[in-house]
């Protein structure tokens, strides 16, 4: 996306999305592409980047009446040298307007039309998808045309535009759901930060380009947090409230639910109790709405089966948006102090002492992204089919027990499993001021004992501040143990 700090705008990341769009553009015949995702993830800027150097029409829909939308769309199209320009100042209906796409004077190039925020167009005229479908079936699918429909209303696009029995079902030749940037794209916004500060910045902002653009990479992380998040009047100060009010009713209730999750309540009953919503079925409905907005996700252990995933009471709820997590962990509860201008006090007493601990969960996510990069580059001992967090009952060390072991509820930061479940990669992540201790390493070895009898186990340890010398010594002689320090992970060194 665009990083507006500095002399010239520089587009960052989104290589995969651009490759996808380019492949559709260069394919023969008509292409109907749907690109969608939550607000702020950079859909519009990605599409503008894709359109650079290509003859195209880029139309951004507004929330307005159908007649005004048609007039605006007509004006945009008729700026091109269409034959209809000699006869009309405005198309009489949407069918005529869409039909004119084929007449765009682009020579041998594809006739490229991008309609941004397409749901606004359909809101005032629900027949538009049917009109487009009929034209697509009649002529456009065989023409040298590419139409990109873009939108942020994810539930509308998934449940009304693309779902079975809806007009455009089966017509789209490409469907791409854009999510926020991963760590390795996001840190390009802060190239001069130390590896630790890059992790902290990502923990605070996540991979949403709109949020990343608000920080000035020439300022320290602390100053950016104070000036660009905690100071009344800055863009991010009102972002959470703005987004919730734009997308949802009952914002007070949603605030309570999101805060409960941000403070570590991940199970349905705990979230209900903490937010004082006594009916868990009601809580489920509200959480589903937050999932559709891309703010919350329902997470399952990496080994969870289909039956468990279908159980409404199972799984853990997590905030997918790092900035929301930061806001509700530190700013929401100190809102009155921030309104009074006590930015320094809130940062010094609420944010600074807890920021590293807050970032430890994000560090685990970064380590999983690193493991993905290792697999992509063939640097793992086997190719995994599934990878994620594991949680459930497993063996842990306990000096009070005669055997030195006991069974307890626990979590494992990274577990990757081969397709035949004959190979496991178990990873633990430590984001703290001290080295990965030998005791923590021994704890890691005890987990998933039953599976160890049936499969080969490999171990990956990830640490901000190095490792106990005994671990390093063991890694030199153990092909099943790999160590990754902060520089390896953040700089994406592929060992």
């Amino acid at each position: 996306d665009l990083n507006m700090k500095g002399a010239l705008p520089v587009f960052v990341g989104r290589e995969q999305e651009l490759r996808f769009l380019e492949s559709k553009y260069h394919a023969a015949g008509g292409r109907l592409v749907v690109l969608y995702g939550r607000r702020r993830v950079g859909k519009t800027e990605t599409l503008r980047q894709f359109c650079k150097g290509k003859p195209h029409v880029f139309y951004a829909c507004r929330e307005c009446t159908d007649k005004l939308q048609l007039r605006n769309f007509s004006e945009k199209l008729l700026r091109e040298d269409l034959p209809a320009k000699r006869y009309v100042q405005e198309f009489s209906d949407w069918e005529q307007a869409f039909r004119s796409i084929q007449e765009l004077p682009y020579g041998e190039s594809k006739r490229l039309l991008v309609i941004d925020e397409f749901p606004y167009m359909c809101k005032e005229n629900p027949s538009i998808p049917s009109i487009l479908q009929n034209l697509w079936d009649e002529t456009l699918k065989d023409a040298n045309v590419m139409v990109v429909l873009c939108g942020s209303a994810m539930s509308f696009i998934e449940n009304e535009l693309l779902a079975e029995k809806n007009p455009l079902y089966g017509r789209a030749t490409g469907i791409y759901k854009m999510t926020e940037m991963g760590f390795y794209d996001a840190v390009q916004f802060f190239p001069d930060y130390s590896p630790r500060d890059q992790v902290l910045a990502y923990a605070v902002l996540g991979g949403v380009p709109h949020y990343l653009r608000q920080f000035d990479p020439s300022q320290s992380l602390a100053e950016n947090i104070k000036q660009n998040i905690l100071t009344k009047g800055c863009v991010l100060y009102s972002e959470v409230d703005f987004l919730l009010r734009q997308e949802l009713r009952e914002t007070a209730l949603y605030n309570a639910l999101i805060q409960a999750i941000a403070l570590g309540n991940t199970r349905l009953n705990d979230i209900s109790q903490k937010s004082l919503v006594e009916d868990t079925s009601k809580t489920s409905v509200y959480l589903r709405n937050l999932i559709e907005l891309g703010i919350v996700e329902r997470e399952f252990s990496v080994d969870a089966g289909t039956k468990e995933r279908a159980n409404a009471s199972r799984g853990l709820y997590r905030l997918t948006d790092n900035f929301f997590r930061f806001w509700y962990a530190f700013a929401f509860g100190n809102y009155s102090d921030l309104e009074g201008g006590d930015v320094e006090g809130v940062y010094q007493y609420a944010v600074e002492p807890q920021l590293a601990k807050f970032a430890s969960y994000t560090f685990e996510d970064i380590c999983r992204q690193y493991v993905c990069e290792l697999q992509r580059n063939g640097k793992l001992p086997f190719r995994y089919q599934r990878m994620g967090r594991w949680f459930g009952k497993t063996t842990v060390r306990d000096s009070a027990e005669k055997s030195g072991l006991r069974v307890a509820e626990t979590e494992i930061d990274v577990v990757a499993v081969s397709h035949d479940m004959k190979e496991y990669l178990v990873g633990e992540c430590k984001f703290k001021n001290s080295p990965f201790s030998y005791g923590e390493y021994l704890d890691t070895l005890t987990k998933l004992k039953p599976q160890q009898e049936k499969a080969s186990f490999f171990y990956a340890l990830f640490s901000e501040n190095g490792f106990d010398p005994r671990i390093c010594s063991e890694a030199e002689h153990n092909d099943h143990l790999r160590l990754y320090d902060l520089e390896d992970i953040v700089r994406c060194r592929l060992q």
Side-chain angles (χ1 to χ4, degrees), residues 219-273:
Q219 291 190 325
S220 70
L221 177 66
E223 284 305 310
N224 268 312
I225 291 172
K226 287 185 280 189
Q227 293 181 23
N228 297 309
I229 296 179
L230 302 180
T231 299
K232 185 177 180 179
C234 69
V235 172
L236 293 179
Y237 185 81
S238 54
E239 170 66 14
V240 170
D241 186 61
F242 170 78
L243 194 147
L244 291 183
R245 290 185 186 280
Q246 191 174 43
E247 300 285 354
L248 301 163
R249 303 186 194 91
E250 300 182 87
T251 52
L253 195 148
Y254 283 105
N255 274 325
L257 291 171
I258 297 171
Q259 186 184 34
I261 300 171
L263 294 176
N265 301 280
T266 58
R267 297 190 184 276
L268 186 61
N269 285 334
D270 295 337
I271 296 168
S272 285
Q273 291 172 12

Side-chain angles (χ1 to χ4, degrees), residues 14-40:
R14 298 305 188 192
E15 288 88 356
Q16 186 173 330
E17 288 83 352
L18 291 171
R19 282 197 301 270
F20 164 78
L21 291 166
E22 289 289 345
S23 70
K24 299 303 175 186
Y25 182 77
H26 292 290
R31 300 288 120 179
L32 179 62
V33 174
V34 178
L35 182 118
Y36 71 107
R38 58 159 287 194
R39 294 184 187 280
R40 311 299 204 195

Side-chain angles (χ1 to χ4, degrees), residues 349-361:
Y349 293 102
V351 179
E352 192 172 31
Q354 295 296 320
L355 188 57
K357 183 179 179 182
F358 169 83
S360 61
Y361 175 75

